[in-house]
């Protein structure tokens, strides 16, 4: 089982609040990803990183931002949350060399009131 | 652009029946992976296929990669209630992943 952690697991906040979703992995993986997923629906890639100081936007337009200052840490920030941001956010990592299996964290379920 | 289509979207089966989900890519893939997500959980890696025409088995699960490396299938023989969940394929090409939309499997006991 992979060592990738997300906090918080659940978050309920009001509109307009700034929030940061944390994601950490202890496997030394180069690649990290953020996905947005509504319950039972498909995964939408919103951000990814192939290493420190490298970040890219994914296929789904998102008002969030990410940073990758350390290999193990890939936080996602929403400057001003809105009800349309209500969803589950999944973080994943992969070794970045051969295989490229993605290991997913448990997710953060975000509700914006 | 690159797209990975997956069908069917939903499948309801009686326990003991077989189940198949199909994945098709618009372009050739370097490899394809399959993941399973239990209700309320997160996707978990099942297997990776790399070679053209490759077939791999995991107990009651059989995975195939097409000769042209553009399509793949997952077949479950004699489904059990523990098979319930959403199965995603993920095509890999040019250093990017493309997840299919998933097939949600429900198994009635």
């Amino acid at each position: 089982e992979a060592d990738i952690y997300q906090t918080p697991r659940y978050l309920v906040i009001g509109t307009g609040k700034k929030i940061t979703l944390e994601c950490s992995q202890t496997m030394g993986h180069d690649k990290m990803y953020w996905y947005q997923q509504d319950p039972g629906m498909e995964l939408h890639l919103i951000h990814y990183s192939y290493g420190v100081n490298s970040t890219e936007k994914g296929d789904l337009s998102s008002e969030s931002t990410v940073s990758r200052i350390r290999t193990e840490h890939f936080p996602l920030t929403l400057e001003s949350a809105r009800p349309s941001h209500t969803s589950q956010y999944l973080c994943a990592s992969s070794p970045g060399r051969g295989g490229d299996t993605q290991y997913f964290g448990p997710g953060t379920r975000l509700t914006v009131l | 652009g690159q797209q990975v289509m997956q069908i069917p979207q939903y499948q309801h089966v009686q326990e003991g029946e077989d189940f198949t989900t199909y994945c098709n890519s618009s372009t050739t893939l370097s490899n394809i992976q399959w993941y399973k997500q239990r209700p309320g959980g997160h996707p978990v890696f099942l297997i990776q296929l790399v070679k053209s025409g490759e077939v791999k088995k995991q107990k009651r699960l059989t995975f195939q990669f097409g000769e042209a490396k553009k399509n793949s299938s997952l077949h479950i023989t004699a489904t059990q209630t523990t098979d319930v969940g959403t199965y995603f394929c993920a095509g890999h090409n040019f250093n990017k992943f493309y997840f299919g939309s998933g097939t949600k499997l429900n198994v009635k006991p």
Side-chain angles (χ1 to χ4, degrees):
Chain A
E1 193 68 24
D3 296 321
I4 179 163
Y5 309 98
Q6 289 185 244
T7 57
R9 294 292 311 278
Y10 303 91
L11 181 61
V12 181
I13 59 168
T15 296
K17 299 290 186 185
K18 176 181 178 179
I19 58 165
T20 296
L21 307 184
E22 301 289 348
C23 176
S24 295
Q25 50 94 6
T26 58
M27 299 167 285
H29 286 174
D30 290 327
K31 296 182 179 178
M32 296 188 75
Y33 312 82
W34 275 104
Y35 293 90
Q36 185 175 341
Q37 184 186 36
D38 291 327
M41 304 299 286
E42 60 190 292
L43 295 154
H44 294 287
L45 179 66
I46 50 176
H47 295 283
Y48 61 98
S49 167
Y50 286 165
V52 171
N53 294 326
S54 151
T55 62
E56 301 285 345
K57 286 187 181 292
D59 303 316
L60 180 69
S61 174
S62 172
E63 292 156 342
S64 57
T65 58
V66 291
S67 63
R68 189 87 183 277
I69 299 171
R70 303 197 318 263
T71 298
E72 62 269 23
H73 196 213
F74 191 40
L76 180 144
T77 298
L78 273 168
E79 290 293 332
S80 179
R82 295 206 304 269
S84 60
H85 295 137
T86 295
S87 189
Q88 172 160 261
Y89 292 83
L90 289 161
C91 180
S93 71
S94 66
R97 44 188 183 280
D100 259 27
T101 300
Q102 292 201 23
Y103 298 90
F104 284 83
T108 295
R109 193 168 295 279
L110 173 66
T111 302
V112 184
L113 303 175
Chain B
Q2 174 86 47
Q3 279 196 357
V4 173
M5 309 300 291
Q6 193 173 349
I7 57 169
Q9 189 175 1
Y10 301 97
Q11 186 82 58
H12 301 271
V13 300
Q14 197 72 38
E15 189 172 25
E17 291 181 339
D18 292 356
F19 159 77
T20 306
T21 173
Y22 301 90
C23 204
N24 291 291
S25 168
S26 55
T27 59
T28 303
L29 302 168
S30 55
N31 65 58
I32 195 159
Q33 298 176 353
W34 286 92
Y35 293 78
K36 177 184 178 181
Q37 185 176 21
R38 293 183 188 275
H42 58 276
V44 175
F45 173 78
L46 292 176
I47 209 159
Q48 176 172 280
L49 304 168
V50 179
K51 298 176 185 174
S52 168
E54 189 170 13
V55 178
K56 286 188 176 180
K57 293 194 176 198
Q58 286 180 351
K59 297 182 181 178
R60 293 178 295 104
L61 277 61
T62 302
F63 304 84
Q64 290 187 309
F65 201 11
E67 293 290 340
K69 299 182 73 172
K70 295 173 75 171
N71 55 68
S72 181
S73 65
L74 157 59
H75 179 82
I76 303 178
T77 304
T79 55
Q80 299 175 358
T81 54
T82 53
D83 295 325
V84 165
T86 302
Y87 293 84
F88 292 96
C89 61
H92 186 219
N93 201 18
F94 293 112
N95 228 17
K96 291 190 80 172
F97 273 98
Y98 302 92
F99 273 91
S101 52
T103 296
K104 189 178 291 186
L105 172 63
N106 187 37
V107 181
K108 291 182 287 187

